[in-house]
Amino acid sequence: MTPLDRELDQERTYHEACRAALAGMVDGADERVVTGENAFASGADAEVLGYQLRSWAKELREEPESPLFFGRLDFEADAACGDHAGQRYYIGRRRISEHPSAPPLVVDWRAPVSRTFYQAGARDPLGVAVRRRFGWAPGSRGASEDLTGMEDELLREGAGPRAEAARGEAPREGEPGATGPAGRPGGILAAEIERPRVGPMRDIAATIQPEQDDLVRCELTRSVCVQGAPGTGKTAVGLHRAAFLLYTYPQRIQRGGLLVLGPNRTFLHYIAQVLPALGEIDIRQSTVDEEIARVPVRAVDEEGAAAVKHDERMARVLHRALYARVGVPTGPVEVPDGSYRWRVPLGRLREIVEEVRAEAPPYAVGRERVRSRAVREIQLTAERRAGPMNNTWLQRISRARPVSAFVDEAWPKAVPEEVLAELFTDPGALAAAAGGILGAEEQKRLQWRRAPRSYRSAKWSAADLVLLDELAGLVERPEGYGHIVVDEAQDLSPMQCRAVARRSGFGSLTVLGDLAQGTTPWAARDWAGQLAHLGKPDAAVVPLTTGFRVPAAIVELANGLLGELGVAVPPSRSLRRDGDLAIRRVTDVREAVTDSVRAALAREGSVGVIARDADVPELRAALAAAGVATAEPDDLTSGARVTVLPATVAKGLEYDQVVAVEPSAIAEAEERGLHRLYVVLTRAVSRLEVLHSRPLPDALAGANAAAA
């Protein structure tokens, strides 16, 4: 047995000890739940204790079956290293110890000392003598994964890196240790980054790069915007920042909650396992439409109407429409009270209404202020005559019919659905609210052709939900979250951004996106405006332009479209030089797709066939006729390796091999079709094959020669 084999056996033995300790943690957590439920506690204390214990036990029981550590740090025996001098730490996805007060066998990747694992380098070792990475492979003997290799980086001054593998295999030429040519990750790190994608998105705790780590560990109070080119890991950065915040600020986050917003359910299914794999469960993952869904969507807007509804000017229109309901009192308030009759003059009532309007509170708060101030006037009058009044008297006066009649006249109740239905069915009300804001043609697009019998029977569109949420926010501010991660944020309309901003007024945001991938009619052209709509105009915009997953040839092809997209984003680059790109002009697209998919299935990894939405059924049928099983985009449990998906749902997804069908058809299918094509071309992390029977878009005209 070689020294390397002996050392690997030692690491395997250590991993088995960690697995046993984790099993003990699970048993201990279950025991504490039983003990806690039987312990003496009362009321809210018992409820809080029980919830905390059950959540911890559930979290441990649901720990994914995966390697318990991916790295190791050996610190120098130097006093300058402080408490870490001479220490060894194993880094994993969660803390593992034999009992709560014992030193950890594995340190959580989010712990302060773990930052050294991601940030130490030859120029600044940060006190680290050796950084070790572990390589894992699909397990045998019933194990989920086996430890098959390890790779050491010797960071002592003057020492070179050393790479080791399970059977004494040498690292690839030019890739000793952490990095290879042009900064490319080498050895085990590169293998993990480039590992084929099958099933849902995985966490990247083992492969976080220094610039990503800086973003992940931003403090809670800081909002940040990541302009990330395809393959740079922006989504993973956002999710890992969420996990970091939950670990670092548990009480503050639990008070407000944490929300992850994605563009659609397919995307959310794809990323759903990342946070649980990092030890965080019960995190709300949703879409903007789901967050604001007050009523079912039963109508579809024409394109022009939807564009107007998503325009930021609608916020001013709705504010006018709502506060137009505030009236002018027409008479004094007189409240009988035994032998007394208390009176508030009309002039004073009008002053109260104007004072409250000037304070600009939420509409519902304003209504209650008007009531309380009118009651206060009555109280002052009564106490001058009859002495102090108690709370029972105040409550009775507040509910008195004359007071309620005054409030209903001056500041009537407002139901968002009723306000919006009246606006869309009454041209005069719409003209009054939109005058000087929307043009006559825009107002016409908003008008309902047929008025419902009441707002309760109205059929609402998806764009109407945004307006209803705006009105609901004007009536009463919604509860906010401690932190919100917003992915594909470039596609949000100004009104959708306002809906997010209402929910993060006292919290922070992680904004993720790529202006080049903006595909909605209202997609942002710059981040300054979008961040202003999100309520975080001072958020820093941090570009990520270096990718590790999408091969360089594919990135360079997609970069050819940037000049046509009308957005100022820097071209991205990739450190991967091993990917494949093929562009083929064919006569029969369906036959060519079938042939390409069969060839792809002979290779490792997932296969995505992406086409114009209207062409997807035909391609699915052709593959089925050829005996090729396919999966739906959101079916991550299917055994089929091939997914046929519309271009409109491809954003955020990745496949090892992509067959992009008829780029010109994708580009012509919608107003921002070239942006959509840019998305499609950057979904492959190993091989991209472009099939076309029609000429390529002008921006890709020279691509055939380059690919050849």
Side-chain angles (χ1 to χ4, degrees):
M1 180 181 288
T2 67
L4 173 59
D5 289 332
R6 284 195 295 272
E7 195 165 356
L8 273 171
D9 278 347
Q10 292 172 3
E11 297 290 16
R12 292 184 185 116
T13 300
Y14 190 84
H15 189 263
E16 290 172 4
C18 294
R19 183 70 68 189
L22 179 61
M25 290 170 63
V26 174
D27 292 341
D30 289 336
E31 183 179 346
R32 284 195 293 275
V33 169
V34 174
T35 304
E37 288 177 343
N38 294 332
F40 176 79
S42 61
D45 291 339
E47 184 176 347
V48 170
L49 174 63
Y51 175 79
Q52 291 175 341
L53 292 175
R54 287 190 298 272
S55 296
W56 174 241
K58 177 183 178 184
E59 184 177 316
L60 288 176
R61 285 195 304 271
E62 294 182 358
E63 179 74 18
E65 190 73 15
S66 61
L68 299 183
F69 53 76
F70 50 78
R72 195 183 86 183
L73 288 174
D74 293 354
F75 278 87
E76 295 272 14
D78 188 326
C81 297
D83 293 340
H84 302 314
Q87 295 295 313
R88 171 175 292 175
Y89 301 99
Y90 285 80
I91 312 299
R93 289 167 178 81
R94 74 155 56 250
R95 184 184 192 275
I96 298 174
S97 62
E98 293 177 314
H99 56 82
S101 60
L105 298 174
V106 177
V107 177
D108 194 297
W109 67 275
R110 297 165 289 188
V113 69
S114 299
R115 182 166 197 178
T116 311
F117 182 78
Y118 302 109
Q119 296 286 348
R123 294 182 179 177
D124 187 1
L126 300 176
V128 176
V130 181
R131 172 169 51 202
R132 172 170 290 180
R133 300 182 190 272
F134 296 98
W136 302 84
S140 59
R141 305 184 303 277
S144 60
E145 292 195 54
D146 284 340
L147 176 58
T148 58
M150 57 191 184
E151 181 178 80
D152 286 349
E153 297 169 69
L154 309 184
L155 302 181
R156 299 183 187 93
E157 184 177 355
R162 180 185 71 203
E164 300 174 334
R167 290 169 296 279
E169 299 159 347
R172 285 175 282 183
E173 183 177 355
E175 294 180 1
T179 59
R184 182 184 187 277
I188 286 174
L189 179 58
E192 175 62 24
I193 291 174
E194 299 167 11
R195 188 150 54 108
R197 285 289 174 95
V198 178
M201 181 179 177
R202 300 188 299 265
D203 69 85
I204 63 165
T207 63
I208 294 172
Q209 300 300 295
E211 65 273 16
Q212 295 173 328
D213 185 64
D214 289 336
L215 293 168
V216 166
R217 295 176 190 267
C218 285
E219 61 186 23
L220 175 61
T221 56
R222 182 184 173 195
S223 291
V224 62
C225 173
V226 180
Q227 161 57 45
T232 56
K234 60 181 177 295
T235 296
V237 165
L239 294 175
H240 286 68
R241 186 186 184 199
F244 173 79
L245 294 177
L246 287 162
Y247 173 89
T248 309
Y249 308 97
Q251 294 181 339
R252 292 169 65 182
I253 290 290
Q254 286 171 8
R255 282 199 299 269
L258 192 146
L259 172 67
V260 176
L261 290 174
N264 52 56
R265 269 288 136 196
T266 298
F267 177 83
L268 292 174
H269 288 153
Y270 179 62
I271 68 170
Q273 298 306 311
V274 174
L275 286 171
L278 295 172
E280 301 299 342
I281 60 175
D282 296 331
I283 304 303
R284 181 165 176 78
Q285 300 187 32
S286 184
T287 67
V288 172
D289 285 348
E290 289 170 347
E291 282 296 298
I292 65 177
R294 293 175 55 91
V295 293
V297 173
R298 297 190 295 162
V300 178
D301 282 315
E302 295 178 354
E303 187 175 315
V308 176
K309 292 177 181 180
H310 279 281
D311 193 294
E312 63 180 309
R313 295 173 295 163
M314 283 301 300
R316 295 163 56 200
V317 173
L318 296 176
H319 188 277
R320 278 189 187 176
L322 177 62
Y323 283 89
R325 301 169 72 84
V326 176
V328 178
T330 58
V333 168
E334 296 184 355
V335 180
D337 181 24
S339 60
Y340 295 101
R341 194 173 189 87
W342 311 118
R343 185 175 187 274
V344 182
L346 175 60
R348 179 58 189 140
L349 294 177
R350 290 181 173 175
E351 288 176 358
I352 288 173
V353 173
E354 288 305 313
E355 288 169 2
V356 174
R357 285 201 69 154
E359 293 164 4
Y363 188 91
V365 174
R367 176 178 163 86
E368 292 310 307
R369 284 185 187 176
V370 166
R371 181 189 298 274
S372 64
R373 291 181 190 182
V375 170
R376 177 63 176 165
E377 291 294 325
I378 295 171
Q379 179 186 8
L380 292 174
T381 302
E383 288 181 343
R384 283 194 293 268
R385 296 283 301 274
M389 300 298 174
N390 58 32
N391 286 335
T392 302
W393 181 89
L394 286 172
Q395 292 174 6
R396 178 167 58 81
I397 296 298
S398 182
R399 294 192 299 267
R401 186 173 298 175
V403 173
S404 295
F406 152 68
V407 174
D408 288 340
E409 176 189 34
W411 207 288
K413 288 183 179 179
V415 177
E417 290 81 358
E418 183 179 18
V419 175
L420 193 59
E422 289 179 0
L423 188 67
F424 287 169
T425 55
D426 184 345
L430 180 57
I437 301 175
L438 302 179
E441 184 60 32
E442 291 174 312
Q443 293 179 38
K444 187 176 180 180
R445 289 174 180 168
L446 297 178
Q447 294 174 14
W448 283 346
R449 295 173 182 172
R450 180 179 300 175
R453 283 175 295 184
S454 75
Y455 73 87
R456 293 183 177 86
S457 62
K459 294 182 178 180
W460 304 101
S461 70
D464 290 333
L465 297 185
V466 181
L467 304 183
L468 291 173
D469 192 75
E470 179 78 22
L471 283 167
L474 291 171
V475 172
E476 190 170 5
R477 291 192 181 99
E479 291 188 11
Y481 291 89
H483 190 78
I484 302 178
V485 178
V486 191
D487 208 344
E488 303 297 347
Q490 77 283 344
D491 276 337
L492 297 181
S493 71
M495 294 299 287
Q496 288 174 319
C497 288
R498 290 177 61 87
V500 175
R502 278 190 290 278
R503 289 159 174 80
S504 64
F506 300 102
S508 53
L509 293 179
T510 299
V511 181
L512 311 169
D514 180 8
L515 297 176
Q517 296 185 60
T519 53
T520 58
W522 37 77
R525 301 280 183 179
D526 63 74
W527 285 118
Q530 198 77 336
L531 291 171
H533 295 316
L534 286 165
K536 309 295 181 184
D538 298 327
V541 180
V542 181
L544 289 180
T545 59
T546 302
F548 300 92
R549 287 195 58 78
V550 182
I554 298 173
V555 169
E556 289 164 8
L557 173 69
N559 280 346
L561 293 173
L562 289 179
E564 306 295 324
L565 302 184
V567 292
V569 298
S572 60
R573 69 188 187 103
S574 174
L575 299 183
R576 286 191 62 184
R577 300 290 171 183
D578 57 342
D580 294 325
L581 169 65
I583 301 175
R584 293 197 295 128
R585 186 158 191 170
V586 299
T587 302
D588 188 327
V589 171
R590 289 178 300 176
E591 180 181 339
V593 167
T594 301
D595 292 342
S596 293
V597 168
R598 282 176 173 158
L601 288 172
R603 295 182 286 266
E604 186 181 10
S606 57
V607 182
V609 179
I610 311 178
R612 178 180 60 178
D613 292 32
D615 296 335
V616 166
E618 184 179 0
L619 293 174
R620 280 205 185 108
L623 288 169
V628 178
T630 63
E632 296 289 334
D634 58 353
D635 184 3
L636 300 178
T637 62
S638 171
R641 286 173 53 199
V642 180
T643 302
V644 183
L645 64 158
T648 55
V649 300
K651 191 173 297 181
L653 306 182
E654 284 186 350
Y655 300 90
D656 290 289
Q657 304 172 74
V658 167
V659 179
V661 183
E662 230 35 297
S664 290
I666 295 172
E668 294 168 3
E670 54 188 311
E671 179 182 347
R672 295 173 70 92
L674 282 178
H675 293 258
R676 185 77 67 188
L677 179 58
Y678 180 83
V679 172
V680 170
L681 295 178
T682 53
R683 298 307 93 201
V685 296
S686 179
R687 175 182 171 82
L688 170 66
E689 186 167 14
V690 179
L691 301 178
H692 66 106
S693 61
R694 300 171 48 192
L696 293 171
D698 291 343
L700 300 179
N704 275 312

